[in-house]
Amino acid sequence: MLTHSDQPHLPPIDRCEVPYRVAGGIEESVLEAIRQMCGSAERRAELITATAVTCRCTEHAEAVRAAAGRTRLTIVDEPLAQLRYLRFTGQLPDDGSVVLYDLGSSGLTVTHADSRTDAILANRRSTVLSGDGYDALLRWRLARSGVLTDKPTSRRHREELSSARVITATDADSGGRAVLTRSDLTELCAAGIHHSASFVRQLVAESGIRPGAVVLLGGCTRSPNIRQALGELLQLPIIYDPEPEYVSARGAVLLAAERPTGDIRMAMARIPTERPAAAPVGRRKIVAAVAVTAALGATIAGLLAVDRDSAQPHDRPPATQIQIATTPGAVR
């Protein structure tokens, strides 16, 4: 994203999305995105005064830093960038803690953070639930109706259902058509949403601190039905930005303006080792949770296998999409 550092909440000057190439490293896509945004700034006679890259883990940060060489950039922990933008827009509580629920194409990252100090209380990631998995479920649903689609098309259909209640999918080869509703997508995602709610509850239990709200991030949370389901399951206030997939980039812009070079990392909070004993969980609930998780993993694995077996000649080569966390920052 190319934007002004004092107006990150406004529509950006330009933005791009670069697919992650399986044979390449994460740094390849990051540097390509930077190159594209630098070219865009040059064509518009804009001066880039800082560049920021948000990273989810230390391994990604080290790979980007090594590949960047002498290029001046700020590397930011992604949850810290998210908290910074939420504070800028007035959506972050002044005290207490929040859970960052970041559901993207490659998986779910859940971070429990202190709202006042930005310290991490607990952090986990799961690849059982992902946008790619939802797309596979959608392709399976369409195939049952005689409509075969590729990955980019199924992703587009999923994104369309975030704003439209009903869409029509068409098979480019056979001309077959199928109607999809937002309720259809909600049913396909139901098991995964229940699994992720359990994931959040486990994280909260690990920290021993009840959060004041859950922040829904990532493109997959654009669906109103998914947001409603999570709110009902978690019984916590929901914080939602209208463009959840760009919160990280916008927060990185703000941090890059404050610190043009270097790394900005989050601190881990010290949690007392002695905590009140948690109420025992009934055996029935444990068995149910395990069953849901196992069924979800098996379903998505099976659907991905079906995708491989039933791939059509018109399918494009598989390319894992990543949410771009690259932000040429303060532009003056």
Side-chain angles (χ1 to χ4, degrees):
M1 179 181 290
L2 180 68
T3 190
H4 293 283
S5 61
D6 59 342
Q7 299 176 333
H9 58 298
L10 298 181
I13 300 170
D14 197 5
R15 63 177 60 165
C16 70
E17 182 172 336
V18 180
Y20 170 71
R21 193 170 63 87
V22 178
I26 189 72
E27 66 278 5
E28 180 181 291
S29 297
V30 170
L31 295 181
E32 172 59 22
I34 292 176
R35 187 191 67 78
Q36 290 188 27
M37 291 295 93
C38 286
S40 178
E42 185 176 354
R43 290 190 297 273
R44 291 171 168 80
E46 297 278 4
L47 174 63
I48 295 179
T49 59
T51 301
V53 178
T54 67
C55 291
R56 188 169 53 235
C57 62
T58 302
E59 291 75 13
H60 287 176
E62 292 175 348
V64 170
R65 177 64 71 190
R70 296 184 178 181
T71 302
R72 295 176 70 248
L73 55 81
T74 301
I75 294 183
V76 185
D77 281 351
E78 190 166 33
L80 186 58
Q82 294 165 344
L83 291 169
R84 182 67 182 86
Y85 183 69
L86 293 169
R87 184 174 291 110
F88 173 81
T89 55
Q91 300 178 81
L92 191 68
D94 294 331
D95 53 18
S97 65
V98 295
V99 169
L100 303 175
Y101 178 104
D102 191 350
L103 181 57
S105 61
S106 61
L108 170 66
T109 302
V110 180
T111 305
H112 192 182
D114 187 281
S115 299
R116 185 175 58 84
T117 64
D118 290 344
I120 293 179
L121 304 174
N123 179 272
R124 285 187 181 179
R125 179 167 173 79
S126 171
T127 55
V128 172
L129 186 65
S130 67
D132 290 344
Y134 285 160
D135 294 344
L137 289 170
L138 201 57
R139 289 195 298 278
W140 169 77
R141 169 69 173 75
L142 289 171
R144 291 182 61 189
S145 301
V147 175
L148 300 179
T149 61
D150 56 16
K151 292 181 179 180
T153 303
S154 62
R155 179 183 180 182
R156 177 168 53 81
H157 290 330
R158 172 172 57 82
E159 292 173 346
E160 289 171 346
L161 287 171
S162 296
S163 55
R165 292 185 176 277
V166 181
I167 65 170
T168 301
T170 304
D171 189 317
D173 289 342
S174 67
R177 296 160 65 91
V179 174
L180 283 172
T181 67
R182 188 181 292 170
S183 297
D184 292 333
L185 180 62
T186 302
E187 290 177 5
L188 292 173
C189 299
I193 294 303
H194 278 79
H195 165 79
S196 70
S198 298
F199 199 63
V200 171
R201 286 191 285 266
Q202 290 171 9
L203 191 81
V204 171
E206 181 181 319
S207 65
I209 300 172
R210 181 173 175 78
V214 176
V215 183
L216 301 184
L217 303 162
C220 293
T221 62
R222 278 184 174 269
S223 172
N225 289 21
I226 289 179
R227 297 199 300 272
Q228 180 181 351
L230 283 169
E232 293 173 353
L233 288 168
L234 296 174
Q235 293 295 298
L236 287 168
I238 297 295
I239 297 174
Y240 173 73
D241 187 85
E243 292 191 306
E245 65 269 46
Y246 296 112
V247 168
S248 300
R250 287 175 163 139
V253 167
L254 293 166
L255 291 169
E258 298 166 3
R259 192 186 304 180
T261 58
D263 294 353
I264 304 178
R265 309 301 303 273
M266 293 188 76
M268 290 295 298
R270 292 185 177 181
I271 300 176
T273 54
E274 294 184 5
R275 304 177 194 160
V281 180
R283 181 175 181 274
R284 181 178 300 177
K285 290 186 177 180
I286 294 176
V287 172
V290 171
V292 169
T293 303
L296 176 66
T299 300
I300 292 180
L303 291 173
L304 293 176
V306 169
D307 280 343
R308 289 193 295 269
D309 294 340
S310 61
Q312 300 298 312
H314 66 272
D315 281 352
R316 303 182 196 177
T320 302
Q321 298 289 327
I322 65 169
Q323 177 185 338
I324 285 302
T326 305
T327 311
V331 179
R332 300 174 184 170

